[in-house]
């Protein structure tokens, strides 16, 4: 186990990787739509953390791209959550449930 | 300190700015009292889209930093997207059963259009991702626009959850590309690959490609389309099946022409992989469509097949005219596809559903609309002399020319043969709809007369029909586009 410190890139990448895998697990195993939504947020934030970390440790220390990308991700993730929650409300109002197995009418 | 005008040359993005002004005008008109004022939404949007179209006709080329590139494909995409936005708003103004003539609907349609313009002009992964998110977020609400409808709500939920997952995967891939190459702009990434970038960058690109494939409904990330389209109002399908495809295809064309990951994957392997993906999507879509019993599901599988045909054209890059063939294909596809969905919207209102059983015998209630639906479906099937035939012809020509030219690109020729096979098979699925509409006995024989068709709907159908027939007769259209690129 390498020593993790704020001055090293791999610590940030490890945390981002764990967050992303946790998000994928939540998306694939949760039956509740809210659980899936939390998984999506984890994935997006893993990417944001990775952008910021790569930006901080980029060869040209003043490269702003990673930091700006991270800010964009935060903003879009908030918008995405707002739209998704509105749609989940619509589902709950009609089905009285947000379980992905209980809300299935569309099929061939 | 750079002057603002220098950092952000507004003259390059006048059409986008005009559409933005239209978006805010719709939002402002929606605040006013009275239902009549709120009906202004579509017309304000149409006016903005047409003004933007006029501005785009004679637009200069250039680059907005490393974010946007206003080049040939971007300008062609504008000329496709802006009239399409106007047509979709017009159809919404006519088919107002679920409030599609409201400011909320029009805002979302214009928002999808704006996102499509940004994506189509993107020369940077950040602007590409932001554009894709813009059109996705607006599209989610269009799909679920029918308040209180179980199927629309379920379709919206599926769309937003699948879309969110794909967006997260794409973004994670982009962050790896950035980390491995130090660049987010396509040109810089191409440079880094030419100098030998690490494998992590290739893996990142693969993940980023998932997001583009999702918008083009390529197998294996096509799975959302049938359910989402079936639950959505037909006009919502008309928006989310056309604009994202134009945007993603244009961004793909730009990326492939600016940044081929050359030392990691050579060009022939990349082109073959794309062609295999496209051929698999076409075959899957054409055979699966045969067992569908709902017109909107058939439209969904048709969209998967048509998206794959566009991707096959991009696999022929950097061949001359390959981008023009993709653009012409999209032009023929969107005209017929939007026309078919507006017809389905009218028939759905008359019959209460888009299942083949519900549509049975629509011919007797709405002879003209049913006839037009058949025309649009035959064009999608590729029957000459309609538009779809010329579109397919252009792509086939490119794929055979690239594939038969050299042995390393032989996969392209095989994919073109499979495209022919898929076209023949998918024609049968369109005929299933035609058979139901024209020849089947209606379930409820008493219901004659399906109500009047509003003027705006008639106008939208007329425009789509003229495009479908006219493009099919415009034999040198592809050559004109190729010259304009």
């Amino acid at each position: 186990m390498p020593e993790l410190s704020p001055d090293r890139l791999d610590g940030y990448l490890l945390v981002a990787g764990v967050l992303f895998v946790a998000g994928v697990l939540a998306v694939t195993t949760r039956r509740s739509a809210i659980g899936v939504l939390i998984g999506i947020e984890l994935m997006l934030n893993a990417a944001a953390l990775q952008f910021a970390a790569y930006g901080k440790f980029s060869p040209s220390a003043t490269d702003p791209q990673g930091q700006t990308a991270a800010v964009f991700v935060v903003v879009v993730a908030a918008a995405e959550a707002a739209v998704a929650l509105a749609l989940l409300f619509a589902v709950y109002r009609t089905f009285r449930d947000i379980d992905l197995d209980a809300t299935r009418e569309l099929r061939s | 300190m750079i002057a603002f005008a220098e950092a952000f040359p507004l003259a390059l993005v006048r059409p986008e700015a005009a559409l933005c002004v239209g978006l805010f005008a719709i939002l402002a008109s929606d605040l006013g009292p009275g239902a009549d004022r709120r009906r202004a939404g579509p017309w304000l949007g149409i006016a903005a889209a047409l003004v933007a179209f006029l501005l785009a006709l004679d637009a200069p080329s250039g680059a907005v930093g490393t974010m946007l590139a206003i080049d040939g494909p971007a300008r062609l995409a504008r000329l496709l997207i802006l009239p399409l936005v106007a047509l979709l708003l017009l159809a919404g103004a006519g088919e107002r059963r679920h409030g599609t003539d409201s400011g909320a609907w029009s805002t979302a349609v214009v928002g999808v259009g704006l996102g499509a313009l940004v994506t189509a002009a993107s020369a940077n992964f950040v602007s590409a991702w932001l554009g894709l998110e813009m059109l996705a977020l607006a599209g989610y609400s269009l799909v679920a626009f029918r308040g209180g409808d179980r199927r629309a709500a379920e379709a919206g939920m599926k769309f937003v959850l699948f879309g969110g997952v794909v967006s997260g995967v794409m973004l994670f891939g982009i962050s790896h590309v950035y980390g491995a190459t130090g660049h987010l702009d396509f040109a810089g990434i191409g440079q880094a690959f030419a100098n030998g970038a690490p494998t992590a960058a290739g893996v990142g690109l693969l993940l980023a490609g998932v997001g583009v494939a999702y918008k083009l409904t390529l197998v294996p990330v096509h799975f959302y389309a049938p359910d989402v389209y079936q639950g959505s109002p037909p006009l919502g399908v008309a928006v989310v099946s056309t604009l994202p495809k134009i945007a993603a295809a244009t961004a793909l064309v730009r990326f492939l022409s600016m940044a081929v990951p050359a030392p990691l994957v050579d060009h022939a392997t990349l082109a073959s992989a794309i062609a295999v993906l496209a051929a698999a999507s076409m075959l899957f879509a054409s055979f699966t469509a045969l067992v569908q019993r709902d017109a909107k599901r058939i439209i969904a599988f048709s969209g998967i097949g048509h998206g794959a045909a566009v991707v096959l054209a991009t696999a022929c890059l950097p061949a001359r005219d390959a981008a023009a063939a993709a653009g012409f294909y999209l032009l023929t596809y969107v005209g017929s596809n939007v026309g078919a969905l507006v017809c389905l919207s009218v028939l759905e209102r008359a019959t209460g559903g888009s299942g083949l059983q519900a549509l049975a015998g629509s011919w007797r209630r709405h002879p003209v609309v049913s006839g037009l639906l058949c025309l649009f479906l035959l064009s999608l099937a590729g029957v000459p002399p309609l538009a779809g035939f010329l579109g397919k012809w252009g792509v086939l020509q490119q794929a055979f020319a690239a594939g038969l030219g050299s042995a390393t690109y032989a996969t392209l020729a095989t994919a073109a043969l499979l495209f022919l096979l898929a076209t023949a098979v998918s024609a049968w699925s369109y005929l299933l709809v035609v058979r139901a509409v024209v020849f089947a006995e209606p379930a409820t024989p008493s219901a004659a007369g399906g109500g009047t068709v509003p003027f705006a709907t008639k106008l939208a159908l007329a425009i789509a029909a003229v495009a479908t027939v006219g493009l099919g007769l415009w034999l040198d259209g592809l050559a004109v586009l190729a010259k304009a690129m």
Side-chain angles (χ1 to χ4, degrees):
Chain A
M1 185 79 192
E3 196 185 329
L4 296 177
S5 86
D7 309 325
R8 287 170 50 130
L9 177 60
D10 43 8
Y12 295 97
L13 295 190
L14 185 68
V15 175
V18 169
L19 276 178
F20 188 78
V21 171
V24 171
L25 282 178
V27 161
T28 46
T29 60
R30 293 281 148 186
R31 297 327 302 161
S32 157
I34 294 286
V36 176
L37 190 59
I38 292 173
I40 293 170
E41 294 297 315
L42 284 177
M43 291 163 76
L44 288 172
N45 283 303
L49 176 62
Q50 200 148 284
F51 269 122
Y54 276 133
K56 185 179 179 217
F57 291 97
S58 73
S60 60
T62 52
D63 180 15
Q65 290 183 89
Q67 318 290 331
T68 32
V71 175
F72 276 128
V73 176
V74 171
V75 173
V76 172
E80 177 121 24
V83 174
L85 282 175
L87 288 172
L88 295 192
F89 261 124
V91 169
Y92 184 75
R93 271 213 302 268
T94 51
F95 284 92
R96 291 280 142 202
D97 203 341
I98 49 164
D99 187 288
L100 291 178
D101 292 324
T103 53
R104 292 197 59 179
E105 282 197 356
L106 301 169
R107 54 187 72 232
S108 56
Chain B
M1 185 86 193
I2 323 164
F4 177 75
E6 211 173 302
F8 193 79
L10 194 63
L12 285 176
V13 290
R14 279 203 194 108
E16 285 81 1
L19 205 59
C20 250
V21 170
L23 186 80
F24 285 111
I26 298 170
L27 281 176
S29 79
D30 222 27
L31 293 175
D36 285 346
R37 179 102 56 99
R38 263 177 234 133
R39 292 269 154 78
W43 306 106
L44 285 171
I46 291 170
L50 291 181
V51 168
F53 178 71
L54 291 178
L55 290 171
L57 273 180
D58 190 26
S61 297
V64 183
T66 62
M67 278 292 183
L68 301 178
I70 311 299
D71 52 5
R75 282 181 299 149
L76 181 65
R78 274 175 177 170
L79 299 185
L80 223 66
I81 290 166
L82 291 166
L84 180 58
V85 168
L87 179 64
L88 291 166
L89 287 168
L90 183 67
E95 292 299 295
R96 48 175 167 259
R97 185 166 54 128
H98 296 284
T100 56
D101 60 338
S102 67
W105 174 271
S106 307
T107 309
V109 174
V110 172
V112 177
L114 204 54
L117 288 178
V118 171
T119 312
S122 60
N124 186 305
F125 266 124
V126 171
S127 54
W129 184 72
L130 281 178
L132 288 177
E133 280 299 307
M134 213 194 282
L135 60 83
L137 288 178
Y140 299 147
S141 54
L142 291 177
V143 163
F145 208 80
R146 280 178 185 171
D149 183 299
R150 289 168 78 99
R151 296 179 148 205
E154 184 192 338
M157 178 177 73
K158 283 187 168 165
F159 203 20
V160 77
L161 292 182
F162 290 147
V165 172
V166 169
S167 174
V169 170
M170 183 183 181
L171 199 67
F172 196 68
I174 295 172
S175 70
H176 271 298
V177 174
Y178 171 62
T181 65
H183 289 278
L184 280 165
D185 56 308
F186 295 169
I189 291 168
Q191 200 70 46
F193 269 112
N195 298 337
T199 319
V203 176
L205 273 189
L206 199 66
L207 293 181
V210 171
V212 178
Y214 181 81
K215 294 293 170 211
L216 287 162
T217 54
L218 280 186
V219 170
V221 279
H222 66 282
F223 50 80
Y224 71 99
D227 281 0
V228 168
Y229 289 13
Q230 189 188 358
S232 160
L235 293 183
V237 179
V239 178
V240 299
S241 66
T242 52
L243 287 169
K245 284 201 183 80
I246 302 174
T250 315
L252 182 64
V253 165
R254 179 162 311 100
F255 183 81
L256 289 177
S257 54
M258 285 175 97
V260 172
L264 211 57
V265 189
D266 63 352
H267 183 262
T269 316
L270 184 69
S272 304
I274 294 175
V276 167
L277 210 59
S281 304
M282 290 166 184
L283 287 178
F284 170 81
S286 57
F287 281 101
T288 318
L290 295 179
V291 295
Q292 304 305 319
R293 292 289 169 267
D294 185 286
K296 279 187 287 186
R297 286 187 89 88
I298 291 179
I299 290 283
F301 285 104
S302 144
I304 296 170
H306 287 285
V310 176
V311 172
L312 178 60
T314 65
C316 305
L317 287 168
R320 276 191 68 234
D321 305 350
F328 191 72
Y329 193 95
L330 281 168
L331 184 60
T332 60
Y333 167 65
V334 297
S336 309
N337 192 47
V338 170
L341 284 160
V342 175
C343 290
L344 278 179
S345 182
V346 174
L347 297 182
E348 215 184 85
R349 191 179 47 195
T351 61
S354 60
L356 293 185
Q357 253 175 351
L359 290 175
S362 311
W363 180 264
R364 296 176 203 186
R365 297 180 197 178
H366 278 296
V368 179
V369 176
S370 303
L372 282 173
L373 175 63
C374 297
L375 176 89
F376 295 130
L377 290 175
L378 291 178
S379 170
L380 288 174
V383 174
L386 299 170
F389 173 73
L390 277 191
K392 287 181 203 298
W393 178 258
V395 172
L396 279 174
Q397 215 177 12
Q398 291 296 322
F400 275 123
L404 299 177
S406 79
T408 44
Y409 289 93
T411 322
L412 287 178
T414 317
L417 281 177
L418 293 175
F419 180 29
L420 278 176
L421 172 68
T423 302
V425 175
S426 68
W428 187 251
S429 64
Y430 298 114
L431 290 179
L432 286 177
V433 184
V434 172
R435 187 180 67 179
V437 168
V438 179
F439 299 108
E441 286 295 317
T444 48
S446 58
T452 54
V453 179
F455 174 72
T457 306
K458 283 183 190 160
L459 191 58
L461 282 176
I463 293 170
V466 167
T468 300
V469 176
L471 285 173
L473 300 175
W474 190 30
L475 292 176
D476 54 352
L478 183 54
V480 171
L481 283 196
K483 204 183 274 178
M485 292 283 269

